[in-house]
Amino acid sequence: MIQSHYPSFTRKEAPKDEESYNAQILIRAGFVEKVMAGVYAFLPLGLRVLRNIEQIVREEMNALGAHEILMPVLSPKEQWQKTGRWDSLDVLFKLISRDKKEYALGPTHEEVVVPIGQKAIFSYRDLPFGLYQIQTKFRDEPRAKSGLLRGREFLMKDLYSFHTTVEDLEIYYAQVLKVYKKIFTRLGLDAIQVEASGGSFSKYSHEFQVLTPNGEDEIIHCEKCDFAQNREINESKEGDVCPKCQAKLRVSAGSEVGNIFQLKTKYSTPFGLSYTDEKGEAREVQMGCYGIGISRLMGVIAEVFHNEKGLMWPDAVAPFRAHLIALTGQDENQNKIIMERATRVYETLQKQNSTVLFDDRENVSAGQKFAESDLMGIPWRLVISQKTGEQIEIKRRDEQEARLISLEEVIEILK
Ligand SMILES: [Zn+2]
């Protein structure tokens, strides 16, 4: 991508109407733009990050054997009345059409996926299977001040699984726990598995939490073992004894990036979702649901990976692999040589399938180019100037010192 062709959305100052760090830095670096409280537009750089996160999640869902579908955002009131959530779910966005029909904008999709799953379920031979989507969701949040961490409109991956028995659901649930760990590791995040309230159908549900100072949840976790519970089900204080290993408990702020629930028959019952077992008897289908906040993850990653100069994207989600910067000066002839060399490097790297943002702008100072590059947080910075000669100056975003290497070495590093 050539930077002079790219609309520049970076700003010198953080927006004054944002309280959360993730929104401040992502707006300043030109990744997102606020449309209203809790609603953001994803700009070219931000969309690349969002798509990278989405792709990792999609690959792991497919590896699990789940099938991708796309459900509508809009759904009829009647389906929400069947489960009682039209009245009980306070964050449900409701719409009235011109002919006075009522609709919901989905914050979750059980009411839509159950009737769809029903079309493919007759006997025990049709089970188990999983359906997932990556789709925009809505929540009527009274207080949307956490940037991408808690939006009124956001992107989510939601998976629903259908089973003959609770035992089969539990096997699948355990598999999803493993897949989730893999996803967060691939994203560069250290997410811990936390027990949370299971609602009326299970003892516990599980959340994946990233410990970060601005997190909105409080996590009680052991300093030695893997014991971790959400504050909503545990009253322990810092320094109390771990019930599992007797070591000390700690209390930290966390941001939820995923959650998984055993729904069992909670949604099968109202929709009459059943199958015929081996003996020819009708039984209710057992269900699980599994969410990952895709746009929220982008906010959490921004909260975790930054320093005073700006963002520091993990390699797997970075908008580009490298930021190639051509530095020109006063000498017209030298400038021509520098730009030719930089263009050649850019084209070579493109051929190697490395994603590169090429800062070819000639009327921007070196200081401004470096400051913007640090703000954007692309993992590798490559500089070509009169000083670098035939070589390329390379530096990782999190390193202090740059070094001079050959194009062949750059290709090797960016592979
Ligand atoms: Zn412990």
Side-chain angles (χ1 to χ4, degrees), residues 111-131:
E111 280 79 354
V112 183
V113 81
V114 171
I116 292 172
Q118 204 160 27
K119 300 290 188 297
I121 300 172
F122 301 96
S123 87
Y124 66 94
R125 290 186 200 89
D126 301 321
L127 296 164
F129 64 86
L131 298 175

Side-chain angles (χ1 to χ4, degrees), residues 216-381:
E216 70 280 25
D217 286 331
E218 229 183 341
I219 309 304
I220 318 298
H221 59 111
C222 176
E223 59 179 19
K224 276 229 175 81
C225 75
D226 60 2
F227 176 83
Q229 289 190 331
N230 194 306
R231 164 64 78 206
E232 63 181 25
I233 60 164
N234 189 318
E235 292 296 305
S236 301
K237 298 181 299 294
E238 177 90 25
D240 281 0
V241 170
C242 170
K244 206 167 153 185
C245 79
Q246 320 308 310
K248 276 188 180 155
L249 288 178
R250 314 200 61 175
V251 179
S252 306
S255 253
E256 185 190 319
V257 286
N259 59 38
I260 73 177
F261 271 96
Q262 295 193 8
L263 298 172
K264 297 185 179 165
T265 57
K266 185 172 178 179
Y267 296 95
S268 306
T269 307
F271 284 97
L273 177 62
S274 62
Y275 70 96
T276 313
D277 71 7
E278 289 92 329
K279 294 180 194 129
E281 282 168 31
R283 294 195 177 276
E284 285 192 304
V285 172
Q286 301 288 334
M287 285 183 66
C289 78
Y290 320 82
I292 288 185
I294 305 276
S295 49
R296 166 188 278 253
L297 268 168
M298 185 167 152
V300 170
I301 293 170
E303 293 275 350
V304 175
F305 299 99
H306 67 268
N307 67 6
E308 71 289 349
K309 289 178 177 170
L311 293 156
M312 299 164 84
W313 296 107
D315 289 272
V317 302
F320 294 93
R321 186 107 176 89
H323 199 177
L324 173 65
I325 299 173
L327 293 184
T328 50
Q330 303 298 330
D331 185 333
E332 289 287 330
N333 288 333
Q334 272 298 332
N335 289 351
K336 218 178 142 206
I337 295 167
I338 291 164
M339 289 312 293
E340 276 172 13
R341 201 191 305 144
T343 304
R344 223 169 34 241
V345 168
Y346 174 64
E347 285 168 356
T348 308
L349 293 175
Q350 292 278 97
K351 281 192 196 116
Q352 303 291 326
N353 292 325
S354 291
T355 55
V356 179
L357 179 63
F358 176 25
D359 190 350
D360 62 329
R361 298 171 301 169
E362 293 202 48
N363 301 314
V364 180
S365 71
Q368 192 185 332
K369 285 190 172 193
F370 288 155
E372 281 184 16
S373 180
D374 283 344
L375 186 58
M376 287 179 191
I378 296 167
W380 292 97
R381 191 184 80 186

